[in-house]
Amino acid sequence: MIIDGKAAAAEIKNSLRGAKAKLAVLMVGEDPASSVYVRNKERACAEVGLQSCSRRLPATATTEEVIASVEELCRWADGVLVQLPLPDHIDAKKVLGTIPPEKDVDGFHPNNLGRLMIGEDGPVPCTPAGIMRLLGDVAGKHCVVVGRSNTVGKPLALMLLQADATVTVCHSKTKDLAAFTRQADVLISAVGKPCFITADMVKPGAIVIDVGINRTAEGKLCGDVDFGPVSEIASAITPVPGGVGPMTVAMLLENTVRTKSSKTA
Ligand code: NDP
């Protein structure tokens, strides 16, 4: 079975139609992939009828200038996000810390990550939230997450644990990775390398979630998973594109609408 993230995202977006909330997106520099993501977010807001505003600063902007822009956007919007990655000279921690936790629709503020850690409500990171929505019930399943970034792997591991899964987290220093991935009832790859997960690393009947967004040598979009052979043995698998990506955007819109309603509640 191919897990249709596009259709699931469309359903979520439909349920948000008519909601009133304002999203602001700040981008620094000209990273082409980031430009595509920002455009997708703007388009999704327009589709649902949410107001959005995106601001672009040059790659030469200072941390202070970025912070000043974030503060200004926070005065206008219900939800604010800073598109990552930021240029190296900018203090990303300081910038993300400027967004008030209740407007932090990406769920990256330390307070919100702390809430997630102890199982309290709050905005949660969009990509792992989208994956959880696609997976449904994971109680008792062995979920193996490959990747431990603060934006995907780590928060996802916490959400899976909260949902009563047994969780293994692997990373670049893991020895004999395949020995772990072959045990997975649910295998999630968030590494960023094409054809990284091959069929011999997957247990027959496993659910495979491909978070990776990569380009092949020919410039074609692909995930981390060797899709053809793995889809033959997995019971369900997300495609790239059309799997986790659209869910990430849908969760962002949901977070934005929630920040607005929690303010008025
Ligand atoms: P990072 O580069 O921050 O993290 C990659 C992780 O993979 C690290 O934890 C790293 O380990 C691990 N890793 C690297 N090489 C290996 C290896 N050989 N064996 C095991 N683990 C390895 O990436 P992100 O988490 O930000 O993103 C991962 C992928 O997901 C990217 O392709 C990105 O574009 C995509 N992405 C997709 C989204 C979507 O909406 N679909 C949203 C966000 C990201 P270590 O920590 O030891 O270095």
Side-chain angles (χ1 to χ4, degrees), residues 37 127 146-149 151-153 170-173 177 190-193 196 211-214 224 244-245 248:
Y37 299 147
T127 300
V146 190
R148 57 168 167 181
S149 67
T151 47
V152 186
C170 302
H171 47 79
S172 69
K173 306 290 185 296
L177 178 66
V191 172
K193 292 184 178 161
F196 183 76
V211 187
I213 302 180
N214 311 299
D224 290 347
V244 174
T248 298

Side-chain angles (χ1 to χ4, degrees), residues 180-225:
F180 292 99
T181 59
R182 274 199 289 266
Q183 290 177 36
D185 302 316
V186 178
L187 175 60
I188 300 129
S189 180
V191 172
K193 292 184 178 161
C195 284
F196 183 76
I197 302 290
T198 47
D200 57 310
M201 297 168 77
V202 179
K203 177 165 85 172
I207 297 170
V208 179
I209 305 288
D210 191 350
V211 187
I213 302 180
N214 311 299
R215 296 251 170 215
T216 62
E218 298 78 42
K220 223 180 119 212
L221 206 63
C222 69
D224 290 347
V225 177

Side-chain angles (χ1 to χ4, degrees), residues 225-250:
V225 177
D226 191 7
F227 186 84
V230 173
S231 62
E232 307 252 304
I233 56 168
S235 64
I237 183 167
T238 59
V240 177
V244 174
M247 287 301 283
T248 298
V249 178

